[in-house]
Amino acid sequence: MKEQQALYKYALRLGDNALIQSYRLSEWCSNGPILEEDLALTNFALDMTGRAQMLLTYAGKVDGNGKTDDDLAYRRKERDFYNHLIMELPNGDFAFTMARLLFTSAYEFYFFNELKNSADETLSAIAAKTVKEVKYHMAHATDWVLRLGDGTAESHSRIQDAVNELWMYTSELFETNEADAVLRDKNIAVDLLPVKEAWHKYVSQVLNEATLSIPAEGYMHTGSSKGIHTEYLGHILSEMQYLQRAYPEATW
Amino acid sequence: MATDTQFPLWEVFIQAKSGANYIHAGSVHAADSKMALQNARDTYTRRGEGTSIWVVPSAAIVASNPDDNDMFFDPANDKVYRHPTFYVMPEGAKAI
């Protein structure tokens, strides 16, 4: 795999993670448990849309075939999306969304902290901006996981169920593929080992403090780096891409 | 507010820039002070409105009673000499 192709895939994956996660969070719009939380979640979704826009624009530039961020977001097939599976899972209840946000934001916090040192200037600049945003997402999710875990019997069981269900989607975050290997050699990609260690340490600490048990190691889902997804991504794309598919070149 | 089943109410004050007054921006519901700060941040500073936030439990605010308005405020109405309008402003003191 050539460096250019590896970089394209790398930027695409980071962009897809932001885009699909943003889509899920924006589904909370008008459905939040309280107005303030509704605003918080849609705020996060906007942070992620901004990040997706930067990363997909960059992916298009690296690809060199004149594709814009919109082309990549709205005209790509499911099998060409590389977001981690955890991003596309349906929101479930509020506990599920918060447990996921804890897992993904902690991952992103440590990941982008490392990516700040990337030899690729664009990725490093995007990382510097992103770290500030995800630090807040992480603080917000952490507080809610603590509250729900240490709350009532019902909130405790809901957040524990969410943690148990999501756990099998977490090891995929730390898998490496060919693109990672090519870009690691050039000091462009992040070394995922320290990210994994930091993530485990942080998440375990939060779960402990929230009086939640950490699931035992078991079956782990994988596939997204080859474009193999859960059944849910197709449904997201059919809604998200509907307009551009039905009315190509449509503008406001 | 007896029928309010939401979290307690907090008043939000935002400082637009360092050194400026904190100005009342509105209120948020929150279970504790930490959540109140986050909710205030998410509700009132999304467009770069602030550099600092205060949150205060609404219950901690003591308000004057509108019934007392005649006693509280009317006596000030006919005391123009309490306004510094009889002085000439020095040039360059535009902020006064």
Side-chain angles (χ1 to χ4, degrees):
Chain A
M1 187 184 270
K2 279 196 284 186
E3 185 185 331
Q4 183 208 13
Q5 200 192 349
L7 188 56
Y8 172 64
K9 281 208 155 182
Y10 198 76
L12 215 48
R13 171 166 244 196
L14 297 181
D16 289 348
N17 271 344
L19 181 68
I20 299 302
Q21 210 182 173
S22 167
Y23 183 91
R24 280 303 185 211
L25 282 181
S26 66
E27 287 180 324
W28 277 102
C29 191
S30 82
N31 295 311
I34 55 170
L35 179 66
E36 290 84 347
E37 189 60 31
D38 203 284
L39 276 171
L41 295 179
T42 43
N43 242 346
F44 298 175
L46 277 177
D47 287 345
M48 293 166 188
T49 302
R51 197 197 319 159
Q53 199 168 19
M54 288 188 287
L55 286 159
L56 294 180
T57 301
Y58 185 51
K61 207 172 126 195
V62 170
D63 185 43
N65 288 317
K67 281 189 189 140
T68 65
D69 49 346
D70 283 340
D71 293 333
L72 288 170
Y74 297 117
R75 304 211 181 161
R76 205 158 22 113
K77 292 192 195 99
E78 183 190 350
R79 284 296 297 270
D80 298 329
F81 270 77
Y82 299 110
N83 60 278
H84 292 111
L85 301 177
I86 194 170
M87 310 294 178
E88 69 204 36
L89 299 176
N91 284 332
D93 58 12
F94 183 68
F96 191 89
T97 297
M98 281 304 123
R100 174 186 21 217
L101 188 62
L102 173 70
F103 291 168
T104 58
S105 61
Y107 169 72
E108 288 169 337
F109 177 71
Y110 295 114
F111 180 93
F112 285 106
N113 243 329
E114 293 285 323
L115 193 66
K116 280 200 291 190
N117 307 319
S118 172
D120 184 290
E121 279 178 19
T122 307
L123 289 182
S124 144
I126 292 172
K129 185 176 186 293
T130 301
V131 163
K132 291 185 209 163
E133 294 171 351
V134 297
K135 190 176 171 190
Y136 186 75
H137 304 170
M138 183 160 102
H140 189 87
T142 299
D143 285 351
W144 270 114
V145 169
L146 292 175
R147 278 195 192 95
L148 295 172
D150 201 13
T152 64
E154 181 174 358
S155 73
H156 179 90
S157 83
R158 282 184 184 235
I159 189 79
Q160 182 70 64
D161 287 350
V163 166
N164 295 347
E165 204 175 320
L166 282 159
W167 198 253
M168 65 180 106
Y169 293 94
T170 54
S171 82
E172 198 195 37
L173 296 169
F174 308 105
E175 277 176 15
T176 53
N177 55 32
E178 208 188 334
D180 286 284
V182 172
L183 298 177
R184 278 293 300 147
D185 284 346
K186 311 269 181 189
N187 276 325
I188 293 173
V190 164
D191 180 3
L192 288 171
L193 271 179
V195 175
K196 184 178 182 172
E197 272 172 32
W199 184 89
H200 266 279
K201 197 174 159 208
Y202 183 79
V203 166
S204 310
Q205 190 193 318
V206 173
L207 295 182
N208 275 330
E209 205 183 320
T211 69
L212 297 168
S213 55
I214 299 161
E217 289 305 322
Y219 176 74
M220 288 287 178
H221 284 282
T222 180
S224 66
S225 80
K226 295 190 184 71
I228 297 167
H229 289 274
T230 67
E231 64 185 290
Y232 306 113
L233 183 66
H235 290 279
I236 291 177
L237 297 185
S238 65
E239 188 175 290
M240 191 173 83
Q241 298 183 334
Y242 166 78
L243 195 97
Q244 275 301 317
R245 300 280 189 196
Y247 306 98
E249 310 298 337
T251 53
W252 284 104
Chain B
M1 296 299 277
T3 54
D4 193 344
T5 57
Q6 301 205 56
F7 294 133
L9 201 60
W10 299 71
E11 299 302 321
V12 179
F13 299 84
I14 310 267
Q15 187 188 42
K17 58 182 182 200
S18 176
N21 292 342
Y22 283 76
I23 295 171
H24 185 234
S27 52
V28 293
H29 289 98
D32 56 33
S33 56
K34 201 173 170 194
M35 192 198 279
L37 266 183
Q38 289 188 7
N39 287 349
R41 181 261 191 197
D42 291 324
T43 308
Y44 295 111
T45 66
R46 290 178 300 149
R47 300 178 185 89
E49 292 94 333
T51 54
S52 178
I53 303 175
W54 285 348
V55 288
V56 180
S58 302
I61 290 182
V62 183
S64 64
N65 187 339
D67 291 345
D68 292 338
N69 276 7
D70 52 351
M71 162 179 95
F72 261 57
F73 307 115
D74 288 355
N77 281 347
D78 55 358
K79 314 277 194 302
V80 280
Y81 46 85
R82 286 182 181 162
H83 294 277
T85 48
F86 304 101
Y87 299 93
V88 179
M89 281 294 155
E91 255 184 72
K94 292 195 178 94
I96 296 177

